[in-house]
Amino acid sequence: MNTQPSPVDQALSRYATRTGHPFRSPQAALFDMDGVLFNSMPGHARAWEQMCLENNIPATRDEFFMYEGRTGASTINILFRRTFGREATPDEITRLYARKSQLFRMQPPVSTIPGAKDTIDACIHAGIPTVLVTGSAQTSLISRLDSEYPGAFPPQRRITARDVDHGKPHPEPFIKGRLKAGCQIPPYRTIAVDNAPLGVRAAAASGAFTIGVNTGPITPGTLLAEGADIEVPSMHQCAEVIRLLLQL
Ligand code: MG
């Protein structure tokens, strides 16, 4: 007889150990946008890589998946310290970030992440409010939420870069996201989904049951090490986990 606990059971005991409270009866589900709902990260990484190439800054495309959630200035300073042994000046930050943004807008149209619609539908069918929690302020993608995920993320259930004082990895975005779902909902009845190391750290710190979805080239296990209660390799598998959690 197989007595090995399932991955979800292991995640639930991990959650109870780290928060001191069992997870039960979910009442809210919080979703990051880039790399969770939209496949926008490859375009961001290509734009960063191209900007670096134009400015003689050595960089690899994959490293930008690790920096997801940082401000543009913070990412540019990582590159500057490594390459030039100093911080970038405000003028350099403005110029280089403007160029990176311009290169991103030239990328091919962004598609949804396979399995994300299934995940959202599972929550909607269970009557669980879904909330957007993104560090982005990118109106081109945010404005597509209504057509790609109808009814899931109305404007009153969105937290974007404009709504917080402290971005991820600070827990503020996920705490505010939970309050958007309902002011009485406790963290141990909240599910959070993010794909980036900094996002996962923020979600876990907010007290939510945290699903790390590794939709990029990040080394498996990285999101668990950042505090995710469970790490899955796709949004298809995220949907399966959420269906099980919704039965608790
Ligand atoms: Mg993301």
Side-chain angles (χ1 to χ4, degrees):
M1 194 174 111
N2 184 6
T3 54
Q4 187 76 9
S6 73
V8 170
D9 287 339
Q10 288 178 43
L12 289 167
S13 68
R14 190 179 156 91
Y15 177 86
T17 302
R18 80 174 175 83
T19 64
H21 203 289
F23 178 82
R24 63 164 188 260
S25 313
Q27 293 181 329
L30 316 179
F31 292 90
D32 173 49
M33 184 173 73
D34 290 290
V36 168
L37 300 176
F38 291 114
N39 192 20
S40 40
M41 279 311 296
H44 282 295
R46 278 194 300 271
W48 277 113
E49 183 189 37
Q50 177 67 23
M51 184 282 282
C52 287
L53 196 65
E54 291 173 1
N55 289 278
N56 297 314
I57 299 169
T60 61
R61 187 178 300 180
D62 285 358
E63 73 177 282
F64 296 104
F65 287 84
M66 289 299 287
Y67 305 154
E68 185 187 348
R70 285 186 182 279
T71 61
S74 163
T75 299
I76 289 168
N77 274 325
I78 289 175
L79 299 166
F80 261 62
R81 281 193 293 271
R82 187 176 71 201
T83 309
F84 307 116
R86 66 172 176 86
E87 306 262 298
T89 65
D91 282 355
E92 285 167 334
I93 288 171
T94 303
R95 177 174 62 81
L96 295 177
Y97 192 65
R99 178 60 179 151
K100 183 264 160 179
S101 303
Q102 185 183 37
L103 288 163
F104 178 73
R105 288 192 295 272
M106 291 157 61
Q107 298 295 317
V110 166
S111 55
T112 57
I113 296 257
K117 290 185 183 184
D118 259 9
T119 307
I120 302 302
D121 284 349
C123 296
I124 291 176
H125 287 146
I128 303 294
T130 46
V131 181
L132 181 78
V133 179
T134 179
S136 170
Q138 210 182 291
T139 47
S140 60
L141 278 187
I142 293 170
S143 62
R144 278 180 56 197
L145 287 167
D146 286 336
S147 55
E148 300 288 356
Y149 297 96
F153 304 106
Q156 68 275 18
R157 290 210 308 267
R158 294 177 189 171
I159 297 291
T160 73
R162 301 180 209 285
D163 300 310
V164 294
D165 295 321
H166 307 284
K168 302 171 187 178
H170 195 284
E172 183 187 338
F174 284 102
I175 293 170
K176 284 192 167 163
R178 168 162 48 83
L179 294 175
K180 291 266 185 188
C183 57
Q184 303 295 330
I185 299 174
Y188 57 84
R189 289 187 167 176
T190 305
I191 300 166
V193 180
D194 207 296
N195 69 306
L198 293 181
V200 161
R201 212 186 297 168
S206 78
F209 181 95
T210 301
I211 305 175
V213 188
N214 195 348
T215 56
I218 290 173
T219 309
T222 302
L223 301 178
L224 277 181
E226 294 289 349
D229 297 299
I230 190 168
E231 179 176 321
V232 293
S234 71
M235 284 302 284
H236 289 299
Q237 266 152 294
C238 180
E240 284 175 33
V241 169
I242 285 188
R243 280 193 196 99
L244 292 170
L245 294 177
L246 290 172
Q247 293 167 17
L248 293 174

